[in-house]
């Protein structure tokens, strides 16, 4: 059964992520292209470092070619944002990736126009893919596709690199010459990072975990707090100016200050938005989901710009980009700049942060502290994920979303909402939230409080409220 979640179709390899389902999805895409009478269709296909990624990608290419679609096939692992960017001028882009999920997962993201396809289009793909019989799907051997010119093999993605470079100031970066510790988590960002650093003249950097490991050290290739201890210690001890950690397919990012303090995109997006408004001369709003720091709302309000709230999932931020003047957007784990892509890009965000600290010649923490003082709002946002059974999910759904029972908290509850998860708003702009993942069987708990201790206390109360303990 093929079912798209918050970001593409994902599953356990050998269970529901199989050659059969990959071919069914490719068939569905080819059928829609034919039905829509798209002339000279081209689909860009890439893969990340996951087990058998190249094989799955080639199987998808073989099916598309059989149904009259030309394929640009990237023969080396590349970042999902790079594939999405290169596919902007073509019909679709497909990346074989399960992003930050465990090593035994794989998945498929489908892009169009620099964004993941919207829900209504993924529903069409699902319907066709789940109705076709595998034995009826045609395919053309990969080698035959290459020989006939229907499959073009590629390795370079220069236009993507040039786009990133267009948003940063080479001169100020060279003058500041920051010492940078990247962490690619055995993912696919290494080539792009090295290329951009070379073009910027940066030599004072190091890349952690760039070796190929399809097991991801038997952990999650995600820039979560618990995965960044080693990097944070090195940043502080070896006097790096900044640490930047990306996930397995390079669209997520976390920042480490020179003090070793770790910051997610709540703070990265807020500082970048303020930087683009105050220094780069941009005008327009900012888009983010409801589980986000209130500091960014204060920044937008002060600049008389709109603070757009989206449902979780970057495809919803893309919709806001298309319908408003918002030029930058993000979720806890990623950031997008509309003039570059309508989906998140950890590589772009990395170099925007390098540009930021180089321009001000100050550390990330110094810049954030200054902003918090300016807006008289200090907060700490934390998020944890909890694996749950389907039975437990049903129990939480009934309690939180059907009966709408309220947790017992030590803060005065101002309001509660259920638009995209259950959000409980307290005094002074602080909040807590419970929502289910759209891609896996986990429930997530978020909170923003005045400091980490208060944040952990509120999260513990919400854990007790829904009866979960084990964090992912």
């Amino acid at each position: 059964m093929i079912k798209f979640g918050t970001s593409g179709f994902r599953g356990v390899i050998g269970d529901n992520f199989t050659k059969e389902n990959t071919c069914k999805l490719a068939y569905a895409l080819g059928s829609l292209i034919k039905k829509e009478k798209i002339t000279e269709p081209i689909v860009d296909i890439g893969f990340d470092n996951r087990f058998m990624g190249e094989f799955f990608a080639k199987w998808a290419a073989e099916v598309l070619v059989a149904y009259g679609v030309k394929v640009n096939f990237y023969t080396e692992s590349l970042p999902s944002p790079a594939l999405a960017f290169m596919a902007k001028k073509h019909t679709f882009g497909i990346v074989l990736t399960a992003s930050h999920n465990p090593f035994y997962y794989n998945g498929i993201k489908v892009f169009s126009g620099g964004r993941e396809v919207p829900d209504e289009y993924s529903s069409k793909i699902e319907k066709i893919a789940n109705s076709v019989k595998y034995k009826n799907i045609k395919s053309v051997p990969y080698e035959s596709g290459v020989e006939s010119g229907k499959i073009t093999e590629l390795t370079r993605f220069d236009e993507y690199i040039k786009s990133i470079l267009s948003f940063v100031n080479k001169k100020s970066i060279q003058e500041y010459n920051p010492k940078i510790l990247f962490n690619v988590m055995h993912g696919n960002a290494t080539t792009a990072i090295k290329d951009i650093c070379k073009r910027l003249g940066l030599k004072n950097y190091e890349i952690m975990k760039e070796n190929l490991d399809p097991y991801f050290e038997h952990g999650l290739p995600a820039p979560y707090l618990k995965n960044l201890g080693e990097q944070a210690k090195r940043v502080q001890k070896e006097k790096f100016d900044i640490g930047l950690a990306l996930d397995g397919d390079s669209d997520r990012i976390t920042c480490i200050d020179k003090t070793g303090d770790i910051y997610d995109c709540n703070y990265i997006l807020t500082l970048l938005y303020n930087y683009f408004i105050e220094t780069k001369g941009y005008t327009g709003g900012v888009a983010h989901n409801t589980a986000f720091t209130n500091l960014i709302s204060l920044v937008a309000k002060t600049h008389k710009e709109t603070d757009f709230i989206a449902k979780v999932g970057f495809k919803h931020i893309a919709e806001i980009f298309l319908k408003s003047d918002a030029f930058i957007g993000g979720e806890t784990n990623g950031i997008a700049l509309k003039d570059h892509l309508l989906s998140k890009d950890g590589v772009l965000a990395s170099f925007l942060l390098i540009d930021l600290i180089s321009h001000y010649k100050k550390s990330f923490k110094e810049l954030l502290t200054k902003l918090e003082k300016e807006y008289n709002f200090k907060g700490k946002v934390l998020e944890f994920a909890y694996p749950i059974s389907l039975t437990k999910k049903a129990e939480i759904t009934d309690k939180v979303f059907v009966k709408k029972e309220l947790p017992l908290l030590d803060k005065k509850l101002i309001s509660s909402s259920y638009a995209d998860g259950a959000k409980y708003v307290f005094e002074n702009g602080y909040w807590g939230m419970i929502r289910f993942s759209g891609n896996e069987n986990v429930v997530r708990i978020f909170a923003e409080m005045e400091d980490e201790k208060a944040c952990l206390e509120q999260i513990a109360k919400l854990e007790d409220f829904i009866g979960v303990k084990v964090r992912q």
Side-chain angles (χ1 to χ4, degrees), residues 187-207:
N188 51 18
T190 300
T191 300
I193 288 171
K194 287 183 176 179
D195 194 347
I196 297 169
C197 284
K198 181 179 180 180
R199 298 191 197 200
L200 287 172
L202 287 172
K203 297 180 181 179
N204 200 15
Y205 72 92
E206 187 176 334
I207 302 177

Side-chain angles (χ1 to χ4, degrees), residues 115-128:
R115 60 177 293 199
E116 290 190 50
V117 291
D119 288 343
E120 58 267 25
Y121 206 90
S122 60
S123 295
K124 292 179 182 179
I125 295 173
E126 289 173 0
K127 185 176 180 180
I128 296 172

Side-chain angles (χ1 to χ4, degrees), residues 307-364:
D307 179 37
F308 294 96
I309 309 298
K311 288 185 177 181
V312 172
F314 244 86
K315 54 193 169 186
H316 301 300
I317 289 176
E319 289 290 339
I320 289 175
F321 280 161
L322 292 171
K323 297 175 181 178
S324 75
D325 68 350
F327 65 85
I328 195 168
E331 296 184 330
T332 306
N333 52 53
I335 285 171
L337 190 61
K338 182 162 67 174
D339 289 344
H340 172 69
L341 268 179
L342 302 182
S343 55
K344 59 182 181 281
D345 187 345
V347 181
L348 169 73
S350 294
F351 287 93
L352 291 180
L353 283 172
I354 292 167
D355 182 57
L356 171 78
I357 65 170
S358 297
H359 174 82
Y360 290 109
K361 295 181 172 56
K362 293 182 181 294
S363 72
F364 187 94

Side-chain angles (χ1 to χ4, degrees), residues 461-472:
K461 291 179 184 297
L462 293 175
E463 287 175 342
D464 290 341
F465 175 55
I466 61 173
V468 295
K469 292 181 179 180
V470 179
R471 295 170 181 171
Q472 193 179 65

Side-chain angles (χ1 to χ4, degrees), residues 426-464:
F426 315 130
E427 293 177 296
N428 302 322
Y430 299 121
W431 52 271
M433 186 172 178
I434 299 166
R435 71 171 299 274
F436 295 114
S437 168
N439 288 315
E440 51 193 322
N441 288 328
V442 303
V443 63
R444 300 184 186 277
I445 295 179
F446 309 76
E448 178 171 35
M449 300 301 296
E450 59 270 24
D451 54 36
E452 184 170 344
K453 181 181 177 182
C455 208
L456 289 170
E457 289 174 354
Q458 292 304 316
I459 286 175
K461 291 179 184 297
L462 293 175
E463 287 175 342
D464 290 341

Side-chain angles (χ1 to χ4, degrees), residues 12-38:
V12 174
I13 299 170
D15 181 9
N16 65 325
F17 195 88
T18 59
K19 177 182 180 181
E20 178 176 328
N21 278 342
T22 299
C23 291
K24 284 183 173 181
L25 193 151
Y27 167 81
L29 200 58
S31 297
L32 286 168
I33 289 171
K34 184 177 181 180
K35 183 179 180 181
E36 293 168 2
K37 298 180 179 179
I38 297 172

Side-chain angles (χ1 to χ4, degrees), residues 403-441:
K403 295 178 180 176
K404 296 185 178 179
E405 296 179 14
L406 297 175
L408 294 174
L409 301 169
D410 55 359
K411 297 283 184 181
K412 183 178 180 181
L413 192 62
I414 302 299
S415 65
S416 58
S417 62
Y418 301 87
D420 190 24
K423 185 172 184 178
Y424 309 103
V425 181
F426 315 130
E427 293 177 296
N428 302 322
Y430 299 121
W431 52 271
M433 186 172 178
I434 299 166
R435 71 171 299 274
F436 295 114
S437 168
N439 288 315
E440 51 193 322
N441 288 328

